[in-house]
Amino acid sequence: MKLIVQIPAWNEEETLAESIAAVPRRIRGVTSVEVLVVDDGSTDRTVEVAKQAGADHVLQMSSHVGLARAFLAGIEECLTLGADIIVNTDADNQYCADDIPALIEPVLERRAQIVVGARPISEIESFSPVKKVLQRLGSWVVRVASGTDIPDAPSGFRAYARDAAARLCVVNTYTYTLETIIQAGRKRIPMTSVPVRVNTVKRPSRLFRGMGQYIMRSVKTILRVFVIYAPLRFFMTLASFFLLPALAGVGRFVYFYATDGGAGHIQSLVLSGAFLAVATILFAVGILADLIAANRSLLEDIRARDLLRQPQRPRQTGKVIHAVDFADAS
């Protein structure tokens, strides 16, 4: 049973060594523990620090591609390296690595294929009261959209079983955290969460400049993923907002037509006709989007099988795997 801890890093020369050193190398139920650092086009000494700190593998992207793309590249590389379990953590040492055994326990016991570390949001001093409220609100929205019960959706401290990791396909370039939960929920991949501890992080997040940007990007990500993975439900909901007023308008016209001949109420019929046209278009778009989603699901299944069947790369400690090599391997 091989465990690979992947650490996406972008200009993290100051904290990366500490994050690598914190990873426990002996865990009950696991035969080997390796560390993969995914360098997201860093311009500092991140790659050099990773090798000096004892990273077993370094995947170097050709340019800065963003957290979501770096995460997915790391997942595919872990699968190529023969990982049975993949743990994702941050390079800023935000998450307590001593909780990795608890994080992977549900996977080892086959109770879940994805485990999300739930942070004690109310106890994190670096989070403002507004951010704490938004974190809870965002997690609630993700639970509704995904049909899951994950209390801390934005948490990046996660464990993935090999089969579940192969089925993930991140579309947006901003972050993988919300999308992968909604995606896994729609694909009915068993998920659970465990409480985890956090360390003090001195620098602010690099994913967003302010709370407003974080909210807008999160809302955009949730809507986009919901359209991708539940298109029929999404467009049928939109269509109903036009269909109901249209039916009410038609009913109003029919009532007045039956009582006084409908004189002077033709506007209701015209407006209702416009609403019915919009509802019909949305309904048609929903059908087409649902067919496209079914085709995409088949392509994702083919991709997952290909990832699981590809030959495994032998371990070469300290070797830097470049993006070109990674693209060829996948």
Side-chain angles (χ1 to χ4, degrees), residues 122-202:
S122 60
E123 301 175 9
I124 300 179
E125 296 181 357
S126 59
F127 284 9
S128 66
V130 175
K131 185 173 183 179
K132 291 178 181 179
V133 172
L134 292 175
Q135 288 276 358
R136 295 191 184 96
L137 178 61
S139 296
W140 175 80
V141 172
V142 171
R143 287 197 297 272
V144 172
S146 63
T148 62
D149 189 23
I150 303 300
D152 186 10
S155 172
F157 194 31
R158 305 181 177 193
Y160 300 90
R162 180 177 177 83
D163 290 346
R167 297 176 63 188
L168 297 178
C169 186
V170 181
V171 176
N172 91 92
T173 58
Y174 169 53
T175 180
Y176 63 90
T177 55
L178 306 182
E179 180 175 353
T180 50
I181 290 180
I182 297 175
Q183 184 180 129
R186 293 294 168 183
K187 293 183 177 182
R188 301 192 181 280
I189 300 176
M191 284 187 292
T192 189
S193 65
V194 297
V196 296
R197 295 164 291 176
V198 295
N199 301 315
T200 302
V201 179
K202 297 180 180 179

Side-chain angles (χ1 to χ4, degrees), residues 218-295:
S218 297
V219 170
K220 181 180 176 181
T221 298
I222 292 171
L223 287 177
R224 184 178 184 183
V225 175
F226 201 74
V227 171
I228 290 175
Y229 292 98
L232 188 60
R233 179 181 175 184
F234 179 82
F235 285 104
M236 291 305 98
T237 301
L238 286 182
S240 66
F241 284 110
F242 292 91
L243 180 61
L244 295 178
L247 294 177
V250 170
R252 180 177 183 273
F253 175 80
V254 170
Y255 169 77
F256 284 112
Y257 183 83
T259 56
D260 60 5
H265 300 288
I266 193 66
Q267 297 90 341
S268 298
L269 194 60
V270 173
L271 185 60
S272 297
F275 281 177
L276 281 173
V278 174
T280 302
I281 292 172
L282 289 172
F283 178 78
V285 171
I287 295 295
L288 292 175
D290 191 58
L291 293 175
I292 294 173
N295 182 65

